Amino acid sequence: MKPYQLRTVGDRAVSIEFPNEINPEINLRLQALAKIITADKITGIRAVIPAYHTLLVTFSAMVTTPDSLKSRLDQIIADQLAAPLPSKRTLIIPVCYEEPFAPDLADVADYAGISVDEVIQRHTNQSYLIYFLGFLPGFAYMASVDKKNCHAPFI
C-alpha cells in the first residue's frame, strides 16, 4: 500500500496526501516533491502549493487531465520516496527588538508574565521548522514551537 493518496480536487487540481499528521519527515518529503514537480515543468501545471501533510497541484484542464497528471505524479513520488530524505536548510533571519521595529515587545512580555529580555532570549534561542508559507507574504506556519514559549489562552 502506498504511503500517500492522490485525490482529484474539483476539475483543476490534484492533492497528494500523506498521513494526516504534522510530521517533519512527511513535510520534508512534500517540500522536496514540490521542488521536483516544479522543476519537472509538467505541461499544464499552474501551481504547487504545500501544506503540513498535503501538496496541492493545480493545472489547466485545457492542457491535461487529472488521470494523466496523477500518472506522472505517481512516477515522481515513487522516485522521490526511494531517495533519502533531503538535508534540511537553515536560514538565519536577522531580527531587531529596538523601537520602532518592536512596538509590541513590552506588551508581549507583560502578557507572558516575563521580562522583555526573557522574550528575546526565548525567541532567539530556538530553531523553528517552517512547514509552509501562508496566505500573507512571508507568513510562516510552524508546528514545532516549544509550548513554554506559547502563552495564548487556547494552548
Side-chain angles (χ1 to χ4, degrees):
M1 185 171 162
K2 295 178 186 176
Y4 66 92
Q5 292 184 329
L6 294 175
R7 296 188 192 279
T8 302
V9 180
D11 63 345
R12 295 185 186 149
V14 170
S15 180
I16 302 167
E17 300 178 1
F18 282 84
N20 186 8
E21 61 186 82
I22 297 175
N23 178 310
E25 288 184 12
I26 289 172
N27 192 261
L28 197 54
R29 288 260 180 233
L30 285 174
Q31 296 298 332
L33 282 169
K35 288 179 184 175
I36 293 165
I37 292 166
T38 300
D40 201 47
K41 299 188 186 299
I42 300 169
T43 304
I45 286 187
R46 296 279 189 232
V48 178
I49 306 162
Y52 287 113
H53 70 97
T54 62
L55 186 64
L56 187 69
V57 181
T58 64
F59 62 90
S60 168
M62 301 296 286
V63 178
T64 191
T65 65
D67 289 339
S68 175
L69 183 57
K70 283 180 182 179
S71 176
R72 181 65 187 119
L73 291 174
D74 253 336
Q75 293 169 354
I76 291 171
I77 297 166
D79 290 344
Q80 205 283 324
L81 288 176
L85 277 171
S87 59
K88 295 177 184 176
R89 183 174 67 151
T90 300
L91 299 175
I92 308 238
I93 301 171
V95 294
C96 181
Y97 297 99
E98 297 171 6
E99 291 292 338
F101 305 106
D104 62 347
L105 184 57
D107 292 336
V108 169
D110 185 53
Y111 180 79
I114 59 178
S115 70
V116 166
D117 287 340
E118 179 71 7
V119 170
I120 294 169
Q121 185 270 333
R122 287 186 184 188
H123 184 241
T124 58
N125 286 350
Q126 180 176 344
S127 293
Y128 299 93
L129 177 59
I130 306 301
Y131 283 79
F132 61 99
L133 296 179
F135 57 94
L136 294 173
F139 188 88
Y141 281 82
M142 303 179 295
S144 54
V145 177
D146 188 331
K147 291 231 186 269
K148 75 176 183 179
N149 293 336
C150 299
H151 293 278
F154 54 85
I155 295 177

